[in-house]
Amino acid sequence: MSRSTTDSASSATLPTPKERRRLREALALSEEQVAEAMGVTKATVKAWETGRSAPRGRKREAYAKLLGAAEVAEAARASEHTPPAPAPMSAATSAVTPMALPPSSASASASVRPMAAVKRAAKPPKAPSPVPAIAPGAARKGASKPPERLKPAGAEAAWEPAPEPVPAQPPVEPGLTPAEAFDALYAHAAPGLVHQTYLLTGRRRLSRESVEYAFHHAWEHWPEVAVDADPVGWVRAAAYEYALSPWHRLRRAHKHPDAPPTEASRRALLAALLELPPPYRRTVLLYDGLGLDLPDTAAETEASTPAAANRLLHARTVIGQRIPELAEPETLHRRLHELVSEAPTATLPAARAVRTGSERRTRKWTRTVLGVTAALICVTAFTAATAPTRYLPVEVPGETVNGVPVRGGPQKLGPEDVELRDKLRSEPNPGPERLIPSAE
C-alpha cells in the first residue's frame, strides 16, 4: 500500500493525511504551533490532516520538509531503541489509565524543542540541519516498535503489543473498471458495516440506510475513494457520521431503537453501548471492536489522541460499571471483537442498484439546481424589464375623516362661494348716499 500522495500542482510529496497527523504528534507539536510556523490558521492545518485540502507552492514544500524530517528521525530512533518489556499487570485493580512512556525515554522528551524544529523546516535552510528529536511514544505502524494498547494499571501503565489486525481491504485485481472495483468494495465491506452501524445505533433500518448513503457518497466521489489508502475506512467514516447524526431523532421511523436481542449478554452489552454519548460509542467500537490503534481511532473520529484516549477510558469505565464481568479491558475487547465479527444477516440491495441509484440522484439534483437557477434568471430578467425607471408619487384625493378637527386657515371655496365672490368683484356695492351737511 502506498503511503504518499502527490499533488499535481507541485513536485513535493506528502504522506497520507493519517501519516501527517501521526508525524506531527511524533514531534510533540500542536495544530496551533504548526499553523503559526506555516503562516496559516489552525483550521487549515486540520484540513491538511483530514485530507479535505492540501498545501500548495512554498507552503507545500515546507510542510513536506517538516514531515520528512520527522519521518527520518522516527525511523532512526526506532532502529536504535528496542521496546521495553511488558510490566506485570495487577489483577486486583480494574481502573484503566492511559498508556505511559517508558522510563528510559523520559529524559529524551525533555530535550525536544518542537517550535524550533518546525520553524527550521518551514524556512529553506542554507545548510543541512541536524535531525530534530522525536518525542517518545509516537511510533508509527510498520516500525520495530509494536502498536500500543491501553491496559489496566495500578501505579504504572503497562504495555502490550496489539493483536494482528484483520485485513480490511478487499482483494484488488489489476485491470478492474471503476464499476467493478466499486462492486468488489461493496461486496466486501457493506455487510460488515451494516452490522457495525447497528451496534452504534440499535436501529436496523437506520443502519442499512446509513451504509447505502455512504456507498452513494463513495460512488459520487469515486476518483477520490479509488486512490485512498483505506477505502473501507473512507466509507466507514461516512456511514458512522450519517448514522450518528442527531437529526435522525426528529424522524418518527428512527426515534426509538429496535427490540433488543434475546440473548442476555448481547442485550446487556448493546444497552451499555447505547447509553454512551455518540463520540465515546464510536471510539470504543473502533478501538476495542475493530482493533484500530489509538492514532488511527483519533484521526477517524477527528479528535486529538489524548481526547480519544480519555473517551476510551470513560467508555470502558461506564461499561464496566454496567456489566461487572466486562470491567477488564481484555475481556471487553474480546467480547466486542466477537460481536463485530459475527456474520451479518442484513439484506442489502445489489451493488449495481446502489450505483444506478446514486447516478439517478445526482442527475435529479443537477436538474433541480439547473431548473431553480433558470427560474431565478427568468424572474430577475422579468423584474428588470418591467420595473419603472423613475419613481412617480401617487396623489391621493383628500377624504373627510370624522372626529378630526377642521384644519385652521382659509378653506377651499365651494361653487356657491366662488359665484358670490365673482359677483362681488364685478358689481361694486353703491351703498347709501353719503350725507353732506348744507350751509343753509
Side-chain angles (χ1 to χ4, degrees):
M1 182 184 300
S2 174
R3 293 177 49 198
S4 62
T5 56
T6 304
D7 192 352
S8 59
S10 175
S11 60
T13 302
L14 292 177
T16 58
K18 291 184 180 180
E19 289 297 323
R20 299 172 197 172
R21 178 195 184 95
R22 191 192 305 276
L23 292 175
R24 173 180 62 78
E25 293 179 351
L27 287 176
L29 295 174
S30 64
E31 294 177 351
E32 293 85 354
Q33 291 173 326
V34 176
E36 180 182 356
M38 293 294 172
V40 296
T41 62
K42 177 184 174 182
T44 302
V45 176
K46 188 172 184 179
W48 292 351
E49 293 182 354
T50 54
R52 291 193 295 267
S53 65
R56 297 180 180 274
R58 295 183 180 179
K59 294 188 185 299
R60 182 183 182 89
E61 295 177 1
Y63 191 52
K65 189 179 302 180
L66 168 67
L67 299 181
E71 186 174 4
V72 172
E74 186 181 31
R77 186 176 183 84
S79 61
E80 293 176 0
H81 297 274
T82 57
M89 182 175 59
S90 174
T93 176
S94 60
V96 184
T97 58
M99 49 189 176
L101 299 178
S104 61
S105 61
S107 60
S109 62
S111 62
V112 177
R113 302 185 64 183
M115 285 307 298
V118 72
K119 288 181 179 179
R120 284 197 302 269
K123 297 179 181 179
K126 297 181 180 179
S129 58
V131 177
I134 305 299
R140 292 180 7 230
K141 291 187 296 183
S144 60
K145 190 173 183 179
E148 303 162 358
R149 297 192 64 82
L150 299 181
K151 291 283 294 178
E156 183 178 288
W159 292 37
E160 181 195 12
E164 292 295 330
V166 180
Q169 305 299 331
V172 179
E173 299 179 3
L176 291 179
T177 63
E180 293 173 347
F182 175 84
D183 294 351
L185 177 65
Y186 181 82
H188 172 78
L193 287 179
V194 171
H195 186 58
Q196 295 168 27
T197 50
Y198 168 69
L199 297 179
L200 283 177
T201 61
R203 298 163 174 83
R204 294 179 177 83
R205 182 177 176 182
L206 178 59
S207 63
R208 291 191 295 267
E209 181 181 327
S210 303
V211 174
E212 289 183 24
Y213 168 82
F215 276 97
H216 281 310
H217 197 58
W219 182 243
E220 293 171 2
H221 300 80
W222 185 249
E224 175 186 349
V225 180
V227 299
D228 193 272
D230 185 14
V232 176
W234 197 101
V235 180
R236 179 176 62 236
Y240 284 10
E241 288 289 341
Y242 184 87
L244 296 178
S245 174
W247 297 106
H248 294 310
R249 291 178 296 182
L250 303 178
R251 302 171 59 184
R252 181 177 299 179
H254 305 319
K255 191 172 183 179
H256 302 287
D258 297 344
T262 56
E263 187 180 350
S265 59
R266 292 186 57 189
R267 181 171 63 251
L269 181 55
L270 184 59
L273 283 175
L274 295 180
E275 284 184 358
L276 295 171
Y280 296 77
R281 198 185 316 161
R282 182 175 179 180
T283 301
V284 72
L285 183 65
L286 290 173
Y287 188 84
D288 282 332
L290 297 180
L292 298 185
D293 59 1
L294 198 57
D296 287 344
T297 302
E300 186 159 330
T301 55
E302 296 187 358
S304 63
T305 302
N310 290 331
R311 290 176 180 177
L312 179 63
L313 296 174
H314 177 75
R316 285 177 170 179
T317 303
V318 172
I319 295 176
Q321 293 174 354
R322 178 71 183 266
I323 310 175
E325 58 268 21
L326 299 182
E328 290 293 334
E330 286 304 318
T331 306
L332 176 62
H333 168 67
R334 184 177 65 256
R335 287 285 304 277
L336 275 178
H337 184 70
E338 293 174 355
L339 194 61
V340 170
S341 304
E342 291 179 352
T345 58
T347 303
L348 293 173
R352 179 182 177 85
V354 174
R355 283 191 288 106
T356 55
S358 177
E359 294 168 357
R360 284 196 302 268
R361 187 177 66 173
T362 302
R363 288 194 297 267
K364 177 181 177 181
W365 278 108
T366 303
R367 292 170 181 171
T368 302
V369 171
L370 291 177
V372 172
T373 304
L376 289 176
I377 292 174
C378 294
V379 170
T380 304
F382 177 78
T383 303
T386 57
T389 56
R390 60 191 181 90
Y391 176 71
L392 298 176
V394 179
E395 297 182 0
V396 181
E399 296 180 0
T400 303
V401 180
N402 297 330
V404 177
V406 179
R407 185 176 58 180
Q411 302 295 323
K412 185 177 180 181
L413 300 178
E416 296 180 356
D417 299 332
V418 173
E419 182 180 357
L420 178 60
R421 183 193 62 184
D422 295 340
K423 183 178 181 181
L424 291 175
R425 289 179 179 177
S426 60
E427 301 178 1
N429 185 13
E433 296 181 356
R434 181 175 297 181
L435 297 177
I436 301 174
S438 61
E440 297 179 356

